[in-house]
Amino acid sequence: MTSTAPFSKFEWMIAWRYLRARRAEGGVSVMTWISLIGITLAVFALIATLAVRSGFRTEFVDTILGSNAHVTVYQSAEVTARGKLDRAIHEYEDMAERLRAVPGVTRAAPLVKGQVMSNLRQRNAGVEVFGITLENLKTIPRVARAETAQGDIERFNDGIAIGSGVARELGASVGDRIKLISPNGVKTAFGTSPRVNSYEVVYVFTAGRYDIDKTRVYLPFAEAQSYFNAEGTATEIEVMVEEPEKVDEIALDLIRAGGERSLIWTWRDASGGFLRALEIEDNVMFIILSILVLIAAMNIVSGLIMLVKNKGRDIGILRTMGLTEGSVLRVFFICGAFTGIIGTALGVVFGCLFAIYIDQIFSFVNFFAGGGVWDPAVRGIYQLPAELRLEDVLSAVGLSLGLSFVVTIFPARRAARMNPVEALRYE
C-alpha cells in the first residue's frame, strides 16, 4: 500500500460527495445543516457579546475620563484655632503649579465644590456645583465638546452651565434664571440663614453619562468661592494626565508635589468597583458563550457519527481498494472541519454586521417594543455601544475552529479504524 500526500485532491472530492448526501440519506444532510446553523449562531453570539462588552467598557471609561478628573488632589483635615476641622486648600495656586510640573500631567485646576438645591418656578433638583474658571472648563472634553450643547460656553463668566439632565428636571433652557439654595449661607446674629442666589443659564451640555448630566452644575470659580463662603481657598485640585490608564505610576509624584497633607483619589478608585464587576462579567460571559460554541460543535460529532454509520460499506470498499487509515481519517475530518469553517465564517460576518449596525438594529427593536428598552437611569449611558476589535474576532474564530477541529477527530478516527471485513460482511 503506497502512502498518499495528506489532504490530496481525491480526499477532498470524497469528503465533498459525502457532504452532499442524497435524499435517501437526508438525515446526514439535516445534521450537517443543524451543525452549520449552530456554529454560526454561537460564533455570532460570541462576537456580538464581545463587541458590546468592549464598547460598553470603552464608553464608560471615556465618559469618566472626559468629564471627571483623572486624579483629585485634596488635603487631610487640620484643626483650626477654633477647634474646627479645615480641609480647604489655601495656597491652591502654588499647589496647582507644582502639580502641573509633574511629568505626565496636562492640567491642574483648582475647584470649589458643594451640593445645593436648584429651583426654577415650581420645580426643584439636587445638584453638585463645581466652581471652575472658564479656561479650565474649556479643557474638559465631554463638557466643552459635548455630544449636544445649547448656548455659548464663552459666556460662562456671566452665568452658569448645567447638565441636560438638570435642565430637564427643572424645565430650564438657555436664558432662564435658576436659583441655587444652600443651607450654609449667610451667618447672622440669629444663626445661619440659607443663601439663595439666582444665575442665568448660559450653557447646557450633555456629557454622555446620565448621572453626570442629571446632577452636574458649573459655576465661575470666584462666584463659587463667594457662594460657599470659601474666599481665598479651593476644595480640591482637579488633575488631568496624558495616560489615564497608567495613573497609578505617577500617584506618588502627585502626592509629593501636593505637599505633606495632600491625599489623592484617582478615577480608578472612584470607579474601580464597577470596572472590576465589568471584568468579572466579561469573563463569565466568555465562558458561558464558549460552552455554547462547544455545544454547537458537538452537533458536528453527531452528524459525523451518522455519516460514518451510513457510509460503512463505502469505507470498507475504499479500504479494500488500498485507501489508508490516514486517508479515511482525513476524509471525515474534512467533512467535520468544513462545516466548522463555513459556520465560523458566517458567524463572523453576522457578528461584525451586528456590531457595525447596532444603532439601527437597536432602534428597530426599540420601535417595535414601544420604546424604553434601554433605561439610561439604570445603565448610566444613553445607548447600547459596540466596539469591534480584531483581537475579539480572532479569539472567537480561534475558539470555534479549535473546538470544531478537536471534536471532529474522534468520529474520524472511528471511521479510519473500521475493519473493512466487518464493514462488508453483510453486503
Side-chain angles (χ1 to χ4, degrees):
M1 237 178 246
T2 60
S3 61
T4 58
F7 299 102
S8 299
K9 184 177 179 180
F10 76 91
E11 294 175 355
W12 286 91
M13 180 189 68
I14 297 172
W16 177 244
R17 288 177 64 88
Y18 283 174
L19 284 172
R20 296 168 58 199
R22 297 191 300 271
R23 183 175 300 176
E25 299 161 348
V28 175
S29 179
V30 170
M31 287 303 300
T32 301
W33 278 105
I34 291 174
S35 303
L36 183 66
I37 294 172
I39 291 289
T40 299
L41 292 178
V43 174
F44 160 73
L46 182 57
I47 291 178
T49 302
L50 293 177
V52 171
R53 176 203 71 178
S54 300
F56 189 82
R57 188 186 189 281
T58 300
E59 181 72 10
F60 181 77
V61 172
D62 186 57
T63 54
I64 292 174
L65 302 181
S67 52
N68 290 301
H70 301 164
V71 183
T72 299
V73 181
Y74 58 101
Q75 288 189 337
S76 59
E78 183 181 40
V79 180
T80 64
R82 295 183 178 182
K84 294 184 178 181
L85 295 178
D86 181 20
R87 291 184 174 86
I89 303 174
H90 296 274
E91 304 296 332
Y92 57 86
E93 286 294 352
D94 292 339
M95 181 185 286
E97 195 62 35
R98 294 196 303 269
L99 291 169
R100 293 188 194 104
V102 175
V105 172
T106 59
R107 181 174 75 92
L111 295 181
V112 176
K113 290 175 63 175
Q115 295 179 339
V116 300
M117 177 71 72
S118 61
N119 168 265
L120 178 61
R121 294 180 284 273
Q122 304 301 318
R123 306 177 74 171
N124 303 297
V127 297
E128 187 172 21
V129 176
F130 285 61
I132 191 172
T133 63
L134 173 60
E135 292 72 20
N136 289 323
L137 180 65
K138 290 165 67 175
T139 61
I140 303 176
R142 287 271 180 163
V143 175
R145 298 182 294 276
E147 296 179 357
T148 58
Q150 301 173 15
D152 184 9
I153 195 173
E154 297 293 341
R155 293 191 58 227
F156 175 64
N157 289 328
D158 300 328
I160 194 172
I162 65 175
S164 57
V166 177
R168 186 169 53 252
E169 287 286 322
L170 297 177
S173 58
V174 175
D176 288 335
R177 297 189 69 86
I178 66 173
K179 295 177 183 177
L180 295 185
I181 307 167
S182 173
N184 301 318
V186 182
K187 295 181 179 179
T188 67
F190 301 99
T192 302
S193 61
R195 171 165 286 167
V196 182
N197 284 6
S198 178
Y199 301 98
E200 179 187 356
V201 177
V202 297
Y203 188 66
V204 179
F205 61 88
T206 300
R209 276 283 297 277
Y210 182 83
D211 55 337
I212 293 175
D213 295 334
K214 194 174 185 294
T215 60
R216 187 72 59 87
V217 167
Y218 288 100
L219 195 64
F221 184 72
E223 179 61 29
Q225 286 179 314
S226 174
Y227 182 83
F228 289 109
N229 298 321
E231 287 83 356
T233 66
T235 306
E236 59 191 40
I237 308 293
E238 182 180 76
V239 177
M240 299 291 190
V241 299
E242 292 178 356
E243 298 181 275
E245 295 285 351
K246 300 180 180 179
V247 68
D248 294 333
E249 297 179 6
I250 63 171
L252 186 58
D253 293 334
L254 292 175
I255 293 176
R256 289 171 179 167
E260 60 180 13
R261 290 176 52 208
S262 65
L263 302 170
I264 66 170
W265 183 256
T266 70
W267 70 274
R268 288 187 178 277
D269 296 327
S271 305
F274 193 88
L275 292 175
R276 285 191 293 272
L278 276 180
E279 184 177 351
I280 293 173
E281 183 183 13
D282 293 345
N283 295 333
V284 172
M285 287 301 298
F286 186 83
I287 293 173
I288 293 174
L289 290 172
S290 298
I291 295 173
L292 181 63
V293 175
L294 176 61
I295 294 172
M298 294 303 292
N299 286 329
I300 297 177
V301 177
S302 302
L304 280 182
I305 290 175
M306 291 182 62
L307 182 62
V308 170
K309 183 177 180 181
N310 290 340
K311 298 298 181 181
R313 176 173 175 271
D314 292 10
I315 294 172
I317 294 174
L318 290 172
R319 289 297 310 280
T320 56
M321 292 174 62
L323 207 66
T324 64
E325 287 188 7
S327 293
V328 174
L329 185 147
R330 288 190 291 271
V331 166
F332 286 93
F333 178 82
I334 291 172
C335 291
F338 191 75
T339 302
I341 292 172
I342 297 300
T344 301
L346 292 175
V348 169
V349 171
F350 291 138
C352 292
L353 289 176
F354 176 85
I356 294 171
Y357 296 103
I358 189 170
D359 290 337
Q360 293 86 337
I361 294 172
F362 192 78
S363 298
F364 179 80
V365 173
N366 200 47
F367 173 78
F368 276 93
V373 173
W374 185 268
D375 186 1
V378 176
R379 295 167 177 87
I381 55 179
Y382 292 96
Q383 60 185 4
L384 181 65
E387 181 182 357
L388 196 61
R389 294 183 178 179
L390 178 61
E391 56 267 29
D392 290 340
V393 175
L394 292 179
S395 64
V397 170
L399 177 67
S400 177
L401 292 182
L403 291 176
S404 299
F405 292 170
V406 169
V407 301
T408 299
I409 293 175
F410 299 102
R413 288 186 64 189
R414 178 183 176 184
R417 294 182 175 182
M418 183 176 292
N419 190 329
V421 176
E422 294 296 328
L424 297 173
R425 181 184 296 275
Y426 302 106
E427 296 298 331

